[in-house]
Amino acid sequence: TVTVAARGDTAVLEVLDDGAGIARDQWEVVFRRFARLDASRNRDAGGTGLGLPIAREVAEAHGGTLTIEESERGARFVLRLPLGR
């Protein structure tokens, strides 16, 4: 599920997947270059572990953030970007 909203002077895009989620102690690990969690290595031969680090760098280059936040189910990625920049 993808949602987009303006909250004050910030655009917020949230992506909520329906998978197993990411353990809290791994939230920052997935933003390291070439990091792949054991579960993703076992299930998928593709991927390099660069997508999330690059996405975070792009967000930061535009004055924003990309984080993982609490979710009842699956992983919840939240991108925040300033509006009117």
Side-chain angles (χ1 to χ4, degrees):
T1 305
V2 177
T3 59
V4 179
R7 295 188 185 139
D9 61 352
T10 304
V12 180
L13 180 141
E14 294 185 20
V15 177
L16 177 62
D17 76 17
D18 60 357
I22 300 170
R24 182 180 266 277
D25 65 339
Q26 300 293 301
W27 285 7
E28 285 303 310
V29 172
V30 300
F31 291 105
R32 293 184 198 147
R33 289 180 180 265
F34 305 108
R36 296 189 66 214
L37 303 181
D38 287 337
S40 66
R41 280 196 298 259
N42 293 335
R43 147 179 99 240
D44 177 21
T48 60
L50 289 173
L52 288 172
I54 291 171
R56 180 176 262 182
E57 287 180 23
V58 169
E60 290 172 351
H62 291 277
T65 61
L66 176 60
T67 58
I68 301 175
E69 297 184 10
E70 291 290 335
S71 173
E72 292 181 18
R73 186 175 120 203
R76 180 174 160 229
F77 294 88
V78 181
L79 171 68
R80 290 182 176 84
L81 294 170
L83 292 171
R85 203 173 160 173

